[in-house]
Amino acid sequence: MWQKFALLTVLAFCACQQLVWSKTVAVPEVVKKVLPRAADSEVLIEFDRLFNQLHYDVDYKLRVLRMNQSLAIKNLNAQFISRFGIVITQIQEEKLRVKDAILQHALEIGNTQNPCIVEKNDEALRQATQSAADISLAAELAYADMSTASRVFFYPQVQAFQNSSTALQSTVVEKLSRSNAVTDLDITLAELAYYYEGEENKIERVLTGIEQELANFQEVVNNVRRDIWAMSDTIARNFVFNMGLLLEDALQCS
């Protein structure tokens, strides 16, 4: 009797064990490659951790790229303002020097309302106004070039990749929402593994591309700096030269 009972017990155990095995999902090899040490019951949790870590890594690199781009703009603006300030000071000092010299000459000839003197004073004011307009144009060109480089070429790519990076955080939940995790869990896990490997490679390529865009942006910065430096030098040089000629003519007034 007890032998029969023991046999039934063994058969029942085997049946239960077979039932358990039938419910156990074989982890695909690609998953083992991505998560070699994860326990079967923690695979989804580990995938979620991996995708979040990938998001954090990408987010950090994007922040560094944005900070470098912002620093380039900050430095360039500071250089522009400093350079324009020097030119403005040169123009103001030269204008005052010439006007004082014209006034002194008018006093010497005893007629500050001499039509020739008045004309030269008006011309000095016109020259200064034109130089101010030239400085404004140079600043406008600098602003336009920097804005175009930032808004058209750099930031759209960064923002698009930022959106993709943010989406990585919800990859596992999004995958479960479109899969039958009970009957097709092995397929779901394999797809997550393949997707992770693909995203990992794609992210490196895209980050390399964005770094290249940052290098291109820096090249734009350098070109704009050279152009604005040349323009500002020309503005100051032309003003000083023209005011010198104007003063020579004014000293001929009588």
Side-chain angles (χ1 to χ4, degrees):
M1 182 67 180
W2 67 268
Q3 292 93 340
K4 183 177 180 181
F5 178 79
L7 178 60
L8 290 175
T9 301
V10 171
L11 290 175
F13 173 80
C14 290
C16 291
Q17 190 64 35
Q18 184 177 6
L19 179 61
V20 172
W21 287 337
S22 67
K23 295 297 184 181
T24 301
V25 176
V27 177
E29 289 300 319
V30 66
V31 177
K32 294 179 181 178
K33 177 183 176 183
V34 175
L35 297 171
R37 296 182 179 84
D40 293 354
S41 60
E42 298 177 351
V43 172
L44 287 175
I45 295 174
E46 282 299 302
F47 267 123
D48 186 57
R49 182 190 64 78
L50 279 181
F51 280 109
N52 271 281
Q53 187 60 52
L54 194 57
H55 161 74
Y56 293 138
D57 292 344
V58 172
D59 224 36
Y60 172 77
K61 291 180 180 179
L62 288 175
R63 284 199 300 271
V64 171
L65 288 170
R66 284 194 296 265
M67 287 176 61
N68 289 340
Q69 193 258 3
S70 296
L71 183 61
I73 293 177
K74 173 181 175 292
N75 291 338
L76 188 62
N77 284 335
Q79 292 167 6
F80 283 159
I81 293 169
S82 175
R83 186 60 187 166
F84 289 147
I86 292 173
V87 173
I88 290 170
T89 299
Q90 286 179 322
I91 291 173
Q92 288 176 332
E93 290 177 349
E94 182 65 11
K95 181 185 72 172
L96 290 175
R97 185 187 74 82
V98 171
K99 286 181 69 69
D100 288 345
I102 292 175
L103 176 60
Q104 182 62 36
H105 178 66
L107 292 174
E108 290 175 357
I109 65 176
N111 186 3
T112 58
Q113 297 302 314
N114 183 298
C116 179
I117 295 293
V118 172
E119 178 188 352
K120 300 309 177 186
N121 272 324
D122 289 344
E123 179 61 17
L125 179 60
R126 190 196 70 78
Q127 292 273 0
T129 302
Q130 181 59 52
S131 295
D134 292 341
I135 292 173
S136 295
L137 176 60
E140 181 181 352
L141 292 175
Y143 173 75
D145 287 345
M146 298 304 297
S147 295
T148 299
S150 296
R151 298 174 184 174
V152 176
F153 298 109
F154 186 76
Y155 274 114
Q157 293 197 42
V158 172
Q159 186 58 53
F161 199 50
Q162 180 68 66
N163 294 339
S164 298
S165 171
T166 301
L168 288 171
Q169 289 188 285
S170 302
T171 298
V172 175
V173 173
E174 190 271 339
K175 187 64 180 174
L176 290 175
S177 72
R178 297 186 295 104
S179 304
N180 188 330
V182 176
T183 60
D184 298 327
L185 184 58
D186 55 339
I187 297 175
T188 300
L189 296 178
E191 289 177 347
L192 284 171
Y194 284 124
Y195 184 69
Y196 175 79
E197 289 184 330
E199 284 297 295
E200 193 175 31
N201 295 333
K202 183 181 76 174
I203 284 168
E204 289 302 320
R205 292 196 302 272
V206 175
L207 282 176
T208 299
I210 294 179
E211 289 174 350
Q212 182 59 50
E213 284 299 322
L214 182 60
N216 294 340
F217 178 81
Q218 188 61 54
E219 184 176 352
V220 171
V221 167
N222 294 336
N223 291 336
V224 172
R225 181 189 294 111
R226 284 193 294 268
D227 292 343
I228 298 305
W229 253 235
M231 289 182 67
S232 60
D233 286 344
T234 299
I235 292 169
R237 186 169 55 251
N238 287 347
F239 182 79
V240 171
F241 177 77
N242 291 334
M243 292 299 281
L245 294 178
L246 179 66
L247 179 57
E248 289 181 7
D249 291 342
L251 294 178
Q252 301 301 317
C253 294
S254 58

